[in-house]
Amino acid sequence: MNVAIHPNVKFAKGNEFALNVATGVITYLSNEHKKRILELKDGESRIEPIDISLLSNEVLIIKNHLENHKINLESKISDYLNNAAAICIMPTEKCNFRCTYCYESFEKGKMGENTINSIIKYIQKNAKLYNFFNLSWFGGEPLLQYQIIKRISQEFRNQQLLNKFTGSISVTTNGSLLTEEVVRELSDVDINLIQISIDGPPEIHDKQRITYNQKGTYHTILANMEYALRNSNSHFTLRINLDTTNSNNYKAVADWLEEDISKRFQEFGTRVEIRVVSIWNATNTSIEGICIQDEERLIKYLRVKSILSKTNNQFLEQYAQEVSQIGSLACYAGKPNHYIVGSDGTLYKCTVALKLEDNILGFIKENGDLSIDETKEAKWTKLNSLTDPQCNKCSFSQSCMGIHCPLTRMQTNSQPCPTHKKFIDSILAFEPYAHSH
Ligand code: SF4
Ligand code: SF4
């Protein structure tokens, strides 16, 4: 029986440890194991006693199992893509903020009665078809129309009870309108996740995330978020849009996270997740800069993240977890049965390029059916790790699925690999934990 290095395994510099990017298992290697890995990097070899623990941690694989491993992975990806649906609704495309990096045009206002009724019919028809069905709210600022959120979400929950699908409701909001009244009104529909952006301490946040009237928003948002945490069951993602081109910014944000935010939300435990995201140069027709970072910016980003994760080991574990979950790096725009509904009923795939012709798929009909240009839709959903040979043999196919950013794929005609893969060597060599073992 022959063994080989597992196709999903990546090694840190000097083979200090191995990470299986499909299982998230990190295996620190003894000197004997390192020697064995060096031998196997030259090709397969007969199984030896030293291989047993490496096989059980899936650092190695029995050569004859490789074909089965590939077939199982493909069927897992195919099930994931075909058994799930999601609808993301923009109840208004207007916003009370004018963030300095925002790419939206705020042209379309409140969703009309006809579109609301069509969406309710769409949910009723589709609820029985899928095991997983998610509803999300986006804008503009969706809470400007929280009554629409309440109405449609209520029907979603009714259908969930009837059809027993697994599904969650999430809202992406600037947080300024999450008042006592809104929290009370939305409590019946049980919002699972609320994503709010706070970009750093007041001196940074209030420069980037300003209201329509140029007012700062920091203190209102934090107070609203604390109120909602105490008076609902929702989980929160606190998104920090970090300007990684400015080295003073990332240091200030890192200190603020450590000294203020992590202490302030400590009592809420896992209900608050903090996510740092680099600000992209997105426009509404292209992705210049989106989803693609240069290495230097990445390292700054990692330094902020490492403070978040408190200890160096946890940082590596977080990365391992991020890359090993099925579909965790895949964008909804590349998944079948995932649609964005604009406030006028227009259907899109991507929430960024709202003016791009290929992204304007069609509209939702009065009876709840979707009128879709299938040629356009195929541009988003047909090229993935099941159909693109390069993605098919990639170790990140389970998490990325070749659809990390379908817009990047369309505009660059190449695989839209996530930062997690492109800079894996830098990530695994990231000095705090690379030197800690
Ligand atoms: S395709 Fe997805 S990842 Fe790419 S810009 Fe659009 S929403 Fe973002
Ligand atoms: S896009 Fe890149 S990372 Fe994603 S599956 Fe394809 S080759 Fe792998």
Side-chain angles (χ1 to χ4, degrees), residues 103 280 282 286-287 290-291 329-334 340 349-353 359 380 403-410:
Y103 52 82
W280 319 111
S286 85
I287 40 79
I290 201 168
C291 308
L329 302 175
C331 171
Y332 41 76
I340 321 290
K349 287 300 282 178
C350 158
T351 39
V352 173
N359 190 28
W380 299 89
I403 53 172
H404 177 62
C405 175
L407 186 58
T408 300
R409 184 190 277 282
M410 282 160 63

Side-chain angles (χ1 to χ4, degrees), residues 202-395:
E203 60 278 14
I204 292 177
H205 176 93
D206 284 343
K207 265 197 209 128
Q208 290 179 185
R209 296 189 64 79
I210 43 179
T211 64
Y212 185 71
N213 307 325
Q214 311 284 308
K215 297 238 164 61
T217 56
Y218 180 87
H219 295 289
T220 313
I221 298 173
L222 268 188
N224 286 354
M225 184 167 158
E226 281 195 54
Y227 178 82
L229 274 160
R230 291 191 202 289
N231 293 281
S232 76
N233 296 321
S234 302
H235 282 238
F236 281 76
T237 298
L238 201 164
R239 177 180 160 122
I240 298 161
N241 301 293
L242 186 69
D243 179 359
T244 38
T245 57
N246 179 335
S247 53
N248 292 329
N249 264 13
Y250 83 84
K251 282 193 208 100
V253 169
D255 289 346
W256 165 77
L257 278 171
E258 198 173 27
E259 284 153 24
D260 183 346
I261 292 300
S262 51
K263 287 180 190 146
R264 191 187 290 248
F265 293 116
Q266 199 172 24
E267 65 177 290
F268 302 106
T270 54
R271 281 182 67 206
V272 179
E273 189 210 345
I274 297 175
R275 187 173 298 163
V276 184
V277 180
S278 188
I279 295 174
W280 319 111
N281 300 319
T283 68
N284 53 22
T285 55
S286 85
I287 40 79
E288 192 56 41
I290 201 168
C291 308
I292 299 170
Q293 294 165 300
D294 63 49
E295 193 163 353
E296 192 198 346
R297 285 169 68 188
L298 173 81
I299 296 301
K300 290 173 183 169
Y301 161 78
L302 291 179
R303 289 198 192 286
V304 176
K305 279 196 85 165
S306 71
I307 288 166
L308 279 179
S309 55
K310 304 279 193 305
T311 73
N312 304 322
N313 279 347
Q314 268 180 27
F315 173 72
L316 178 60
E317 279 157 20
Q318 269 187 12
Y319 171 80
Q321 213 194 8
E322 265 170 41
V323 296
S324 59
Q325 285 165 11
I326 184 152
S328 59
L329 302 175
C331 171
Y332 41 76
K335 299 176 185 174
N337 311 311
H338 282 58
Y339 299 103
I340 321 290
V341 191
S343 60
D344 62 354
T346 305
L347 297 170
Y348 307 92
K349 287 300 282 178
C350 158
T351 39
V352 173
L354 293 175
K355 297 251 161 139
L356 181 78
E357 263 309 307
D358 278 337
N359 190 28
I360 303 170
L361 293 196
F363 57 93
I364 187 161
K365 297 201 273 194
E366 215 176 304
N367 66 0
D369 289 347
L370 306 183
S371 169
I372 284 179
D373 179 329
E374 285 175 13
T375 314
K376 282 188 187 174
E377 184 173 26
K379 293 186 183 176
W380 299 89
T381 57
K382 288 296 176 221
L383 269 178
N384 55 36
S385 64
L386 300 173
T387 54
D388 174 337
Q390 195 163 325
C391 294
N392 188 263
K393 55 180 196 289
C394 168
S395 45

Side-chain angles (χ1 to χ4, degrees), residues 79 147 166 223 255 284 420:
D79 286 351
Q147 295 293 0
T166 304
D255 289 346
N284 53 22
H420 298 73

Side-chain angles (χ1 to χ4, degrees), residues 27-64:
T27 308
Y28 288 93
L29 301 172
S30 66
N31 286 339
E32 287 70 35
H33 281 148
K34 285 183 201 165
K35 252 193 251 154
R36 180 64 175 148
I37 294 298
L38 279 179
E39 283 166 21
L40 286 166
K41 279 188 174 170
D42 290 334
E44 60 190 272
S45 136
R46 282 188 70 77
I47 189 167
E48 292 187 8
I50 190 172
D51 299 336
I52 303 303
S53 64
L54 297 177
L55 278 166
S56 68
N57 274 7
E58 296 187 71
V59 177
L60 305 182
I61 188 168
I62 305 280
K63 193 73 202 299
N64 291 344

Side-chain angles (χ1 to χ4, degrees), residues 142-207:
L143 293 182
L144 282 169
Q145 299 302 338
Y146 69 88
Q147 295 293 0
I148 299 178
I149 298 184
K150 185 173 177 179
R151 235 170 103 191
I152 296 178
S153 299
Q154 191 64 67
E155 185 54 28
F156 180 84
R157 290 296 187 211
N158 294 345
Q159 291 299 324
Q160 190 169 19
L161 271 180
L162 274 173
N163 295 288
K164 314 262 179 272
F165 59 79
T166 304
S168 68
I169 303 179
S170 62
V171 181
T172 301
T173 167
N174 61 36
S176 66
L177 304 173
L178 200 59
T179 57
E180 284 183 36
E181 183 190 344
V182 171
V183 171
R184 190 176 57 247
E185 286 288 313
L186 293 183
S187 65
D188 296 344
V189 294
D190 193 16
I191 306 289
N192 302 89
L193 180 68
I194 299 177
Q195 175 169 293
I196 292 184
S197 291
I198 303 182
D199 287 355
E203 60 278 14
I204 292 177
H205 176 93
D206 284 343
K207 265 197 209 128

